[in-house]
Amino acid sequence: MTTVFEARADQAAPESGKGRWIERWEPDDAAFWAATGKRIAVRNLMFSVLTEHLGFCVWLLWSIAVLNLPKGMFTTSQVLWLTTTPNLVGALIRIPYTFAPARFGGRNWTVVSGLLLLIPTGLFVYAVENLDSLPFGVLLLIAATTGLGGGNFASSMANITHFYPASKQGLPLGLNAAGGNLGTSVTQLCMPPLIVAFGLVAVGWVWMPLVLLAAAGSYFFMNNLRTATTAYTVGEMVSICGRAQTWIMSVLYIGTFGSFIGYAFSFGVLIKAQFPDVKGANFIWLGAFVGSFARPVGGWLADRFGGARVTMIVFFAMTAGIGAVAYAVEAGNWALFLGAFLFVFAATGLGNGSTYRMIPAIFRIQALSRADATDEAAVARASAAGRRHAAAAIGICSAVGALGGVLIQQAFRISIETTKGIAPALIGLAVFYALCMITTWALYLRKRGITAAETGRSSLAEAGV
């Protein structure tokens, strides 16, 4: 005998014949989630992770290339620009990429964004084969195209947010992001032996068939959610830009993801600058590897203990860790430098997961605080509005966070050019992390903090933020 809910679930689960669209999606309904939602969400998550992973692999191409260019071809400043420009483009492109799943459908955009990765990989091959004849400005433009891979993160995260219940987003968002972040480490680990065997040009060729396979998998196995196509408008994005919470979380995300990506792009150059006798290619992959695997753990901890608590502890750990890195630089202690930096990478990963868990929780609580708790329809509308606002805020925060990575890279460049070392930049970062720790406590954990007062809560931590 078919129950009423089973009938509803059957209507929601099957894809329509055109473009694999799902017309009805109710992940916050426990019965719907158990009957059909979870299975579909997991399948979409898998292919989202794959495409985002390849995006990060392509995004990091030039961080590997610069370590294998002819010695003396470029100055340290030029090398840092070749790694900074992709980061800058990847950060800026995240805003339009955030809108793309809602405009075109999550599955459709995943296919398109995956195929776009053929542009930077093809240009990379061209650049390597014509390295002696290309002006530096042209190389910089070619390097900039790899920023397309950085944009994949924003569209992937915005899309997957709609597939999971609000109370269970920490782990899947952490896994989605970790799968992407891991592309950083995979590129840095796998490319050096490939370069030795086939030359630097192979770094471009190797990703092309994988991109085609990912696009085909996304085409055949992912879904578009009809409910997500009205996720938010440009007007709502502008409105979200006027919210204090958007910018507070953006700053915190600079501290976590901005640090992760800034260090990932710069780690090899920093090793080469501070410890020239160490072969950086043997170690640069470790940082992104540790940070990537820590990210879903941060999401899981945030689901269990609250994102604000985990984030505050993370910033304390980052303050101490980057202080240890600064000491190691001054002491010329390679072992301490590597160990402390890996500790910081792990902390950034945990913080990436916990801050991303905070965003949907904050905007959902704010939306619900304005609704009549006795009116079920009003609560449902408020919950949907909170989800839309969170998706828009995630796009802004991810873009600002990645721009933070650019600032970190430039801080190292300026420090090296002016003092021949990175210690001043490290000290400045330690102060920034300490301020982020204080901000998290004051706004989200302190009793009757400013942010808590916005929603009438004694502390947002008590509401699960």
Side-chain angles (χ1 to χ4, degrees):
M1 180 175 179
T2 304
T3 65
V4 173
F5 173 74
E6 286 170 342
R8 288 174 57 201
D10 290 340
Q11 292 172 9
E15 301 83 6
S16 64
K18 188 175 181 180
R20 292 182 65 89
W21 285 91
I22 293 179
E23 301 296 331
R24 189 171 187 174
W25 188 253
E26 300 174 359
D28 290 312
D29 186 314
F32 170 84
W33 177 250
T36 178
K38 184 176 181 180
R39 172 177 54 83
I40 294 174
V42 169
R43 189 181 70 220
N44 279 268
L45 175 63
M46 289 171 58
F47 287 95
S48 176
V49 167
L50 177 59
T51 305
E52 187 192 345
H53 174 86
L54 292 173
F56 268 81
C57 289
V58 171
W59 199 15
L60 268 289
L61 285 181
W62 283 90
S63 74
I64 291 296
V66 296
L67 298 179
N68 294 274
L69 295 174
K71 194 171 184 178
M73 175 173 277
F74 301 111
T75 66
T76 299
S77 178
Q78 287 177 317
V79 167
L80 283 170
W81 273 114
L82 283 172
T83 60
T84 300
T85 304
N87 198 356
L88 178 61
V89 173
L92 294 175
I93 207 171
R94 286 183 171 198
I95 297 294
Y97 266 55
T98 300
F99 282 101
R103 177 65 180 83
F104 304 107
R107 166 221 182 229
N108 295 347
W109 183 250
T110 302
V111 174
V112 171
S113 63
L115 292 175
L116 285 174
L117 298 177
L118 296 174
I119 296 173
T121 51
L123 287 175
F124 182 89
V125 171
Y126 172 77
V128 172
E129 291 179 340
N130 298 275
L131 200 57
D132 293 333
S133 60
L134 291 177
F136 177 74
V138 174
L139 284 178
L140 205 58
L141 287 174
I142 290 174
T145 65
T146 61
L148 290 170
N152 281 8
F153 175 88
S155 57
S156 179
M157 294 295 275
N159 181 44
I160 291 301
T161 298
H162 294 286
F163 278 92
Y164 282 84
S167 62
K168 300 180 186 294
Q169 289 182 353
L171 182 58
L173 287 178
L175 289 170
N176 190 50
N181 293 173
L182 194 58
T184 306
S185 180
V186 168
T187 299
Q188 294 172 333
L189 173 63
C190 297
M191 291 306 99
L194 193 68
I195 292 168
V196 171
F198 302 104
L200 185 56
V201 70
V203 176
W205 283 116
V206 71
W207 303 116
M208 295 184 189
L210 297 176
V211 165
L212 292 173
L213 284 173
S218 301
Y219 180 85
F220 288 109
F221 298 108
M222 287 188 72
N223 300 96
N224 303 305
L225 297 181
R226 188 69 68 187
T227 54
T229 59
T230 56
Y232 49 86
T233 64
V234 174
E236 282 184 303
M237 176 72 87
V238 172
S239 174
I240 290 299
C241 286
R243 297 265 197 101
Q245 291 304 315
T246 303
W247 299 107
I248 293 168
M249 290 307 305
S250 292
V251 171
L252 297 184
Y253 201 56
I254 286 175
T256 56
F257 181 75
S259 296
F260 171 82
I261 201 65
Y263 295 149
F265 271 100
S266 305
F267 199 29
V269 178
L270 298 182
I271 293 173
K272 192 172 183 178
Q274 297 301 307
F275 299 91
D277 296 331
V278 174
K279 191 173 181 180
N282 293 335
F283 300 97
I284 58 173
W285 64 275
L286 286 170
F289 182 82
V290 170
S292 298
F293 273 97
R295 182 156 189 163
V297 177
W300 175 78
L301 289 172
D303 280 341
R304 185 167 184 179
F305 301 108
R309 291 190 181 95
V310 175
T311 298
M312 186 183 73
I313 294 170
V314 160
F315 280 125
F316 174 79
M318 290 175 67
T319 303
I322 212 68
V325 172
Y327 176 80
V329 167
E330 291 299 309
N333 188 326
W334 160 246
L336 178 60
F337 175 88
L338 179 62
F341 232 132
L342 293 182
F343 176 81
V344 172
F345 267 110
T348 65
L350 292 173
N352 287 339
S354 63
T355 49
Y356 245 67
R357 169 64 175 81
M358 290 172 69
I359 296 170
I362 288 170
F363 283 93
R364 183 171 183 271
I365 289 169
Q366 285 191 324
L368 290 174
S369 69
R370 301 183 180 97
D372 182 355
T374 63
D375 186 339
E376 291 186 8
V379 170
R381 288 194 299 271
S383 181
R387 189 182 288 272
R388 293 197 309 272
H389 298 163
I394 281 173
I396 296 170
C397 293
S398 70
V400 175
L403 283 172
V406 175
L407 295 177
I408 288 173
Q409 289 174 279
Q410 289 303 300
F412 284 131
R413 181 185 64 81
I414 294 169
S415 182
I416 290 172
E417 288 181 349
T418 56
T419 69
K420 307 301 180 184
I422 63 173
L426 293 170
I427 293 170
L429 287 166
V431 172
F432 172 62
Y433 297 146
L435 291 174
C436 287
M437 177 183 65
I438 294 170
T439 299
T440 304
W441 170 80
L443 297 183
Y444 300 110
L445 295 171
R446 182 170 61 94
K447 298 291 183 181
R448 294 300 173 189
I450 296 172
T451 304
E454 291 182 2
T455 60
R457 307 274 183 170
S458 61
S459 157
L460 283 187
E462 295 176 359
V465 173

